[in-house]
Structures are given as C-alpha cells and as structure tokens.
Amino acid sequence: MQQTLTFVRGLGRHREASVLAMLAIVAIYLSLASDYFLEPRNLLNVGRQASVVAIVALGQALVIIARGIDLSVGSVIGLSAVVAAVLMRDTGSETIGLVAGLLTGLACGLVNGVLYTRFRINPFIATLGTLSIARGIALLMTGGIPVPFGGFAEFVGAGRIFDIPVSFLLMIALAVVVHVFASRTVVGREIYAIGDNPKASRLAGVNLRAIRVFVFALCGLLAGLGGLILAGNLASADPNLGMGYELDVIAAVILGGTALSGGRGSILGVVIGALLMALLNNAFVLLGISAYWQVVTKGLVIIFAVGLDGLQRGGDDD
C-alpha cells in the first residue's frame, strides 16, 4: 500500500509525464479496440475537438494559477458567438461581428475581474452568477433560435491548411505565445508569484488587483475566441453553445498539473490535458458507449486530477 501511494505521489510530481502516459495508454487501447481510430480523418477530428477546449483552458490556467477560477467560460462562449452572429446579420459587416464577439468575451472577463477585486466577491460565486447572466442574455437575444454564422470564422472553425484543421494550428500558436508570456515576462512571473504567496507579492510591489483583472479579462477574451471558432465550425451560433464546456476546460487545466491552490502550472500540461479530454470523448463515440457516461467520466477525471494534486501537496507538507 505504501509503495502504491509513493508511486502515485511520484506521478503527481511529474504531472505532464503522467498525463502524457495516460494519453498514450488510451490511444493504444483505442487503436486495438477500433479500426477507425488511427484513420487520419478521426485523428484530425480529435485535434479539432481539443482546440477550443485548449484555447479557453489557456486563459483558465492563468486565472487558477493566480488563485482564481472562472466558471462562466461556457456561457461566455455562447454569448460571444451569438453577439457576433447577430451583429454580422444586422450590419452586414463580418468585421464588426467578429470584433464584437471578441469584445464581448473581453467584457465578460473584465466584469468577473472587477467583481472579484473591487467588490470582494469570491470568484467561484461571481463567475457562477455571470455564467447564468451570460447564458440568459444569449437566449434573450435569439429567442432560443440559432443564428446562421459563416465567413472567416467558418474558415477558422472548419477550414484546413495542408489538411490540418486551422483551429488546431491556432491552438498551437496561442499555446506557444501564452507559454512564452507566462515563463519569460515580468507579468507572467507576477501571476505565479501572486498564486504562490499573495501577501509577499503585495509587499514586493506587485499590483494584485491589476494582475487579477488582467487574467480574468484574458480568459474572457480567449473564451470569446473559442465561441467564434465553435460557431464557425457549426456554421451556426446557438445560444446554448458551449454549455458544459467549463467542465472540460477546468478538467484539462487541473489534469495538466495546474494547482487549484495557485502558484503552479504549465501550459504544456494544459494542452496535453485538453488532448486527453478530447480523446476520451472520441473513445465514447468509437466504442458506442452512451453519452451519459461522458458526464460521469469528466467528473471522475476532475476528482482524480485534484486527488493527485492533494497527494503531491500532502507529500510536500511531510
């Protein structure tokens, strides 16, 4: 028993490696269990499915590293897509629609950040409230009826370059940018410092309020981008778009090694976590397992990831 516990703690200390190992195990099993898994079309589809979750998870990771959490990202995905589609339809301008969609995500993130920093509302409660508000506004704007959506967003969501999904290439590019930002810039290091020790960071001259508002705003902006990509892939902006995505996003972040207690996490781990979540969803489809089990699996994955983090922190305390 003690050896098993030591082994699990060891996995927790090398989260990226452990998640990559799980990714490989699932991939090997699917390659044996399904004749369709290794087909290029299916693998590219997995990459496309992972791209939106990973893009939004990049912002969520920075929020959690700074000791926050954003539960509203799923609703922001839907609202941003609806705003973009409605304005594109009413104005006839694709540019106005796309910019408005991104600004909607940014505005939602700013609201979350202000509620946390100015009004001292716990981010869990604040973003739970904005989750409901954003979804309600999307439903009010459309009457619950999807709005056609296309143009450049459709190219980003469903298009390919050299047979590789554009959304997957965009995910890789954004992951590199966020990794460099988080690890090589002053603001990036301050985000980690705030999550590790807020009091020490304040005494060192770090503007906690500004940094926290910034990470929430960035998370909202990336959720808005995710909404445009998802709606473009479907060629339709549904007010219920993104429902449940907060679970996938948080699972990818935590599974990738980001500590809920803040101060620790890697962008590479987030991307691997998103790929694992997409692979698990793909497995249910290929194996013909009920979609209801997907919800159960997501919950188990979150519990497993948080459990690994708890074992690691327990080991550090010892």
Side-chain angles (χ1 to χ4, degrees), residues 5 15 26 31 43 66 164 195 201 219 275 282 286:
L5 187 60
R15 184 70 62 83
V26 174
S31 66
L43 294 177
I164 300 176
S201 299
C219 185
L275 287 171
N282 184 249
L286 293 179

Side-chain angles (χ1 to χ4, degrees), residues 56-256:
V56 181
L58 294 174
Q60 183 77 262
L62 295 181
V63 170
I64 293 178
I65 288 171
R67 289 198 180 186
I69 193 167
D70 188 349
L71 300 178
S72 69
V73 289
S75 295
V76 173
I77 286 173
L79 179 59
S80 299
V82 163
V83 169
V86 169
L87 284 180
M88 190 181 299
R89 180 195 63 190
D90 294 346
T91 65
S93 172
E94 184 178 342
T95 302
I96 291 176
L98 294 177
V99 172
L102 292 175
L103 290 179
T104 297
L106 178 64
C108 291
L110 286 172
V111 169
N112 288 332
V114 170
L115 289 175
Y116 177 31
T117 60
R118 294 284 182 178
F119 294 92
R120 305 292 184 181
I121 301 176
N122 184 285
F124 184 94
I125 302 300
T127 58
L128 186 63
T130 53
L131 175 152
S132 181
I133 294 170
R135 186 68 67 190
I137 293 174
L139 290 168
L140 287 170
M141 289 182 66
T142 62
I145 301 174
V147 181
F149 191 60
F152 182 72
E154 188 173 359
F155 168 73
V156 176
R160 296 185 179 189
I161 296 178
F162 299 114
D163 210 34
I164 300 176
V166 175
S167 58
F168 184 74
L169 295 174
L170 180 60
M171 177 202 75
I172 294 175
L174 286 174
V176 172
V177 171
V178 174
H179 169 73
V180 172
F181 165 76
S183 60
R184 302 295 178 86
T185 68
V186 174
V187 176
R189 289 191 290 269
E190 288 178 344
I191 292 172
Y192 279 91
I194 288 174
D196 186 55
N197 195 323
K199 291 183 179 179
S201 299
R202 183 185 294 110
L203 293 174
V206 177
N207 189 332
L208 271 65
R209 182 175 294 175
I211 295 296
R212 284 170 172 164
V213 170
F214 170 76
V215 293
F216 273 101
L218 180 60
C219 185
L221 179 63
L222 291 176
L225 176 60
L228 298 183
I229 295 172
L230 198 57
N233 185 38
L234 300 173
S236 174
D238 191 311
N240 291 315
L241 197 69
M243 184 172 290
Y245 261 65
E246 57 275 357
L247 283 180
D248 285 0
V249 168
I250 293 174
V253 172
I254 303 303
L255 192 61

Side-chain angles (χ1 to χ4, degrees), residues 255-307:
L255 192 61
T258 302
L260 276 174
S261 55
R264 178 167 53 83
S266 76
I267 301 305
L268 175 61
V270 170
V271 173
I272 297 175
L275 287 171
L276 179 57
M277 294 301 298
L279 199 61
L280 289 173
N281 290 336
N282 184 249
F284 281 99
V285 174
L286 293 179
L287 300 178
I289 300 174
S290 171
Y292 300 137
W293 281 104
Q294 294 185 31
V295 182
V296 176
T297 302
K298 290 174 186 178
L300 291 174
V301 166
I302 292 174
I303 292 173
F304 173 74
V306 175

